[in-house]
Amino acid sequence: MPMSKAASARVARRIATAAAYGGGGLGLLGGAVVGLLFTEVQLAKRKVGVGGGGDDAPQADGRYGAAFAGGRPSGRPGDAAHPVRPLRLGFLGDSTAAGQGVRLARQTPGALLASALAAVAERPVELRNVALSGAQSDDLERQVTMLLSDPSLEQGPDVCVIMIGANDVTHRMPPARSVRLLSDAVARLRTAGCAVVVGTCPDLGSIEPVGQPLRWVARRLSRQLAAAQTIAVVEEGGRTVSLGDLLGPEFSANPRELFGPDNYHPSAEGYATAAMAVLPTLAAALGLWPTEDERPDSARREGILPVARAAAEAAAEGGTEVAAVRGPWALLKHRRRRRLPPAEDVTSEAGQDGAAPEAPKNGGRSVHEQADTR
């Protein structure tokens, strides 16, 4: 459906604001630099994606937190006669959301967050991941339709995590179109009563084989798109967590540890790093995080800022949350990360033997009882 003039103007303002805060200047590149960039792209293509061991991400759909099926260990709501209803978690996006680059289902971001969310909520979590490797934002409409019509989720997901944007940058999708498609997807999910958390475009400048000046350009484009995504998502009532800088200094400092064998997708340790950043926002979106943590802490450089400024600051620092407050204002949070409990093995329709998932290996402890890692 074509956008109205008013909608087009709004999207244009988002991109312009993101460029103004995140830095522009790409249009000033001369012909010689463009030629060098083209050479760098070809070199990067030869190095990235080699050694990945296949294109399929492990299938992690299923129920996590079986130990909480009868209710909370403290004896609060839920018992054998009245089991608690599982939380329904949807995952959408590209290969990063799917978990490409790892071998085991429990190493994927969906499984990591489903297990951790079960420990936070002290109730089971049903995971449905419809993310597709190679997907761009124009695939989100199909993915949202799949989730909202999935009979295994009964009344639809309670909360969804979206990770998208990297392929939009590498395939040169116009940013205005990319942002509009994401905005539409978030709006549909919110209308269906689903909370939404978006992990914004990662910093493609952190990919090890990419050289200069392509690294600089990739970083600039990634941050501009991430800032624009944040503005769009917050306007639709969702929350964002910036993955860009998180996959920057930490990944650049430990590329052998945090990147997988294809030099592009995160390793198991890399996905765990990203999941630790997303978990507090995911829990907060469901009202499961301590209420005192919802207030901005000036000592942690948090505050209520204009949405555009919050978006720009978040794009420059990984793990930063942005959530709507009122009107043009947004809450900028640097939430404390919690160590994740080991993710469960789960066998479902994608499994081999139909066995039930293991009980949490953290002894049923809540994530709140575990050590703060930040």
Side-chain angles (χ1 to χ4, degrees), residues 129-178:
N129 194 327
V130 296
L132 178 67
S133 295
Q136 300 176 52
S137 292
D138 55 7
D139 193 53
L140 288 177
E141 180 179 6
R142 181 190 66 83
Q143 293 183 27
V144 171
T145 298
M146 286 182 64
L147 268 184
L148 296 183
S149 61
D150 189 337
S152 69
L153 292 180
E154 299 177 356
Q155 299 177 359
D158 296 300
V159 63
C160 284
V161 175
I162 303 175
M163 295 180 177
I164 200 78
N167 294 319
D168 294 2
V169 173
T170 59
H171 289 77
R172 295 188 293 181
M173 176 181 286
R177 181 167 183 251
S178 173

Side-chain angles (χ1 to χ4, degrees), residues 248-259:
E250 295 185 36
F251 275 44
S252 296
N254 302 287
R256 295 290 183 266
E257 179 182 354
L258 296 180
F259 278 118

Side-chain angles (χ1 to χ4, degrees), residues 300-355:
R300 294 176 61 81
R301 295 174 293 106
E302 300 174 348
I304 296 176
L305 306 172
V307 175
R309 181 180 167 190
E313 291 195 13
E317 182 171 355
T320 304
E321 175 188 329
V322 180
V325 177
R326 58 185 178 277
W329 301 93
L331 173 65
L332 182 79
K333 290 284 295 180
H334 301 291
R335 293 189 184 274
R336 293 176 173 84
R337 302 177 201 169
R338 300 293 199 271
R339 184 178 297 117
L340 299 180
E344 302 173 27
D345 287 312
V346 61
T347 49
S348 59
E349 55 199 346
Q352 297 179 351
D353 57 13

Side-chain angles (χ1 to χ4, degrees), residues 269-322:
E269 292 81 4
Y271 280 125
T273 299
M276 278 196 298
V278 173
L279 174 62
T281 300
L282 181 63
L286 291 169
L288 299 173
W289 215 240
T291 55
E292 61 270 17
D293 201 38
E294 294 303 300
R295 294 188 291 269
D297 183 350
S298 59
R300 294 176 61 81
R301 295 174 293 106
E302 300 174 348
I304 296 176
L305 306 172
V307 175
R309 181 180 167 190
E313 291 195 13
E317 182 171 355
T320 304
E321 175 188 329
V322 180

Side-chain angles (χ1 to χ4, degrees), residues 182-310:
L182 175 60
S183 178
D184 290 347
V186 174
R188 284 185 65 194
L189 291 170
R190 294 291 294 146
T191 299
C194 177
V196 180
V197 175
V198 174
T200 55
C201 183
D203 181 1
L204 297 177
S206 65
I207 300 172
E208 192 182 29
V210 176
Q212 296 290 11
L214 181 59
R215 182 185 296 270
W216 177 85
V217 173
R219 173 162 288 127
R220 186 63 58 86
L221 292 175
S222 300
R223 288 186 177 183
Q224 288 181 1
L225 180 57
Q229 287 177 323
T230 297
I231 295 171
V233 171
V234 168
E235 287 185 357
E236 294 296 345
R239 300 180 185 229
T240 63
V241 179
S242 56
L243 299 181
D245 201 49
L246 182 70
L247 307 186
E250 295 185 36
F251 275 44
S252 296
N254 302 287
R256 295 290 183 266
E257 179 182 354
L258 296 180
F259 278 118
D262 64 0
N263 294 317
Y264 183 82
H265 294 96
S267 65
E269 292 81 4
Y271 280 125
T273 299
M276 278 196 298
V278 173
L279 174 62
T281 300
L282 181 63
L286 291 169
L288 299 173
W289 215 240
T291 55
E292 61 270 17
D293 201 38
E294 294 303 300
R295 294 188 291 269
D297 183 350
S298 59
R300 294 176 61 81
R301 295 174 293 106
E302 300 174 348
I304 296 176
L305 306 172
V307 175
R309 181 180 167 190

